[in-house]
Amino acid sequence: MKNAVFISPNFPTNYWQFCRELKNNGLNVLGIGDQPYDELTAELKDSLNEYYKVSSLENYDEVYRAVAFFIFKHGRIDWLESNNEYWLERDARLRTDFRIGSGFQTEDIPRIKYKSKMKEFYQAAGIPAARYHLVEGLKDCRAFIRQVGWPVVVKPDNGVGASDTHKLTCDRELQDFLAGRVEGVPYIMEEFVHAEVNSYDAIIDSSGSPIFETGNVTPMSIMDIVNNEDNSVYYIVKDLPADTRRAGRAAVRSFGVRSRFVHFEFFRLTQDQEGLGKKGDVVALEVNMRPCGGFSPDMMNFANGTNVYKIWADMIAFDRSTVPEGEHAFCAFAGRRDGKNFVLSHRDILDKYGAQMRMVERIPDVLAGAMGNQMYVAVFPTRREMDRFYRDVLKCR
């Protein structure tokens, strides 16, 4: 029996389903987390063969001892994974230290975590990327801005999500950023790209071939949603565009992806932009070597009539999918921000769209910055019906 260690199986709250499908496929599923066992959901308890509680997942020595204990008790670990961006480097270090070969190692981290390193692999795949500069001080930043013009975007070179990301439109904002930036954190500055974000989401087998593909569109900037405390909107596409598929598969080859669930982000230009392309072209943004965050895996299921948790577990157990393809639709996410005066009440929305609704939940505080406070996930056969849903749910007085 293969042994699989899953780090933080209790968060995000939907990730217990990865564990369930691993167990259903005959793996010995061993969880490591910081939540007391008695507080785990019944579904997660049933999905684990054993659970090891640490006082903090931030404490590497504790997590290391947990993995060592599992090896002592159960033998060699075949897989170790969290599917979580926050623990990506930790996962790689554990695999390296324990010689677990099925996944990224410490030496792989720079090209998959540092935004500046990603660009050369995108360019090797023939995908254009925004010009960039690693921030040092005022003089070098001004020199870069003279090349690309205002505005520019600055963010940590090794960051998670849109946290600490800033759009700078003038010299005063540049000086304020430099004065307030986090000490010791390397920042990357990029030319501003006029675009919406399109993603390539896929589960890749051991040969680097996709066994499941889909994508999402974020018409609003996540950076603006976080910084302006705005509502959140994105959707899973009904059918993956051919150019997104080509770019995604090329990036998979360039980055050497094997046996992973990936979320690759691209810009789709909303206007012609010199050096990048014409309106509608696909441009590189960044790679994420894990599933799209939040409730996106569930949305992929709703949009494709499938079970990506099962497909991922099949990839690990059998290196192929045993899940038949289902009917396709658009799956829309709308995250409403508390404190706004919406035209439709919560009850109004449920009364009008109850038949299309698939999930209605309060969003955990740790995710609310990027996703809003109250979420609605609904499925529609046409783009027109989905757009009407967004207008109704997000319209304010």
Side-chain angles (χ1 to χ4, degrees):
M1 179 183 292
K2 290 184 177 181
N3 294 314
V5 171
F6 203 97
I7 306 293
S8 187
N10 57 300
F11 187 85
T13 55
N14 49 330
Y15 274 25
W16 65 270
Q17 296 175 81
F18 287 117
C19 298
R20 176 189 64 190
E21 299 303 340
L22 286 174
K23 189 175 182 182
N24 286 344
N25 278 348
L27 276 75
N28 189 36
V29 186
L30 311 168
I32 301 174
D34 55 11
Q35 187 174 14
Y37 180 79
D38 290 344
E39 296 178 10
L40 301 180
T41 64
E43 294 91 346
L44 177 54
K45 289 179 181 178
D46 289 342
S47 301
L48 297 174
N49 295 94
E50 190 168 348
Y51 179 73
Y52 190 113
K53 180 193 175 300
V54 295
S55 62
S56 172
L57 286 171
E58 300 281 359
N59 187 321
Y60 184 77
D61 289 342
E62 277 196 271
V63 180
Y64 181 96
R65 288 195 295 272
V67 177
F69 171 78
F70 283 148
I71 292 173
F72 173 78
K73 184 173 181 180
H74 299 279
R76 182 172 63 90
I77 302 300
D78 299 282
W79 291 87
L80 184 146
E81 190 56 76
S82 68
N83 278 340
N84 192 316
E85 181 78 16
Y86 191 79
W87 303 117
L88 200 64
E89 293 178 73
R90 173 66 52 79
D91 294 347
R93 183 179 174 187
L94 288 166
R95 291 191 202 100
T96 300
D97 287 351
F98 286 102
R99 298 186 179 182
I100 303 168
S102 54
F104 289 117
Q105 307 291 305
T106 297
E107 65 182 16
D108 298 313
I109 288 298
R111 79 173 190 276
I112 65 173
K113 281 288 289 176
Y114 287 86
K115 296 171 177 61
S116 58
K117 302 284 187 185
M118 295 174 187
K119 291 182 182 291
E120 62 185 88
F121 291 91
Y122 267 131
Q123 290 169 339
I127 306 167
R131 289 171 287 180
Y132 76 98
H133 170 74
L134 291 176
V135 172
E136 294 179 11
L138 184 60
K139 183 177 179 180
D140 59 280
C141 288
R142 283 174 171 168
F144 175 72
I145 293 167
R146 282 195 296 271
Q147 296 178 34
V148 302
W150 299 101
V152 293
V153 174
V154 287
K155 51 193 172 184
D157 194 24
N158 180 10
V160 178
S163 59
D164 200 14
T165 299
H166 311 272
K167 179 182 176 182
L168 308 180
T169 62
C170 64
D171 198 70
R172 169 49 56 191
E173 292 180 359
L174 170 62
Q175 293 184 56
D176 289 344
F177 160 73
L178 291 172
R181 60 179 164 162
V182 180
E183 187 175 351
V185 173
Y187 285 85
I188 183 173
M189 177 178 287
E190 297 177 302
E191 65 179 311
F192 185 79
V193 180
H194 299 273
E196 66 178 14
V197 176
N198 287 210
S199 77
Y200 172 80
D201 297 88
I203 299 172
I204 309 298
D205 69 14
S206 64
S207 68
S209 300
I211 58 175
F212 170 79
E213 296 172 300
T214 187
N216 69 51
V217 174
T218 306
M220 303 167 64
S221 164
I222 294 295
M223 173 182 64
D224 291 337
I225 291 168
V226 173
N227 292 340
N228 301 333
E229 297 185 344
D230 208 342
N231 301 313
S232 178
V233 171
Y234 75 99
Y235 60 90
I236 307 296
V237 296
K238 184 175 182 178
D239 296 296
L240 185 65
D243 55 359
T244 306
R245 189 188 305 273
R246 285 194 300 272
R249 289 183 176 183
V252 165
R253 291 191 296 272
S254 184
F255 281 90
V257 179
R258 300 285 187 274
S259 303
R260 290 203 70 78
F261 202 144
V262 299
H263 172 62
F264 289 180
E265 294 176 330
F266 299 94
F267 288 123
R268 186 175 295 279
L269 298 181
T270 54
Q271 64 183 57
D272 294 354
Q273 193 158 346
E274 186 177 355
L276 290 177
K278 300 291 186 180
K279 180 179 178 180
D281 285 352
V282 170
V283 175
L285 175 50
E286 63 182 60
V287 298
N288 298 279
M289 299 296 181
R290 42 76 180 171
C292 187
F295 298 96
S296 295
D298 302 283
M299 292 173 61
M300 294 175 197
N301 289 345
F302 301 143
N304 293 278
T306 191
N307 183 346
V308 298
Y309 302 104
K310 170 66 171 168
I311 296 172
W312 177 82
D314 283 354
M315 176 270 293
I316 289 177
F318 316 123
D319 202 28
R320 61 182 176 83
S321 172
T322 66
V323 181
E325 186 172 348
E327 185 176 348
H328 289 205
F330 291 97
C331 185
F333 174 97
R336 302 213 305 189
R337 188 75 62 183
D338 289 349
K340 293 183 180 292
N341 189 16
F342 295 102
V343 171
L344 293 187
S345 68
H346 176 71
R347 175 46 55 189
D348 292 335
I349 294 170
L350 297 186
D351 288 344
K352 186 168 185 176
Y353 290 103
Q356 293 80 26
M357 207 68 71
R358 297 296 180 269
M359 298 180 76
V360 179
E361 294 189 26
R362 293 291 294 178
I363 297 173
D365 290 343
V366 69
L367 301 176
M371 300 180 68
N373 304 105
Q374 174 66 50
M375 77 166 197
Y376 304 91
V377 171
V379 173
F380 301 95
T382 68
R383 173 71 183 268
R384 182 178 180 181
E385 291 170 280
M386 180 177 69
D387 289 344
R388 186 183 303 119
F389 165 76
Y390 278 132
R391 287 195 297 271
D392 285 346
V393 171
L394 301 176
K395 186 177 181 180
C396 291
R397 300 183 190 279

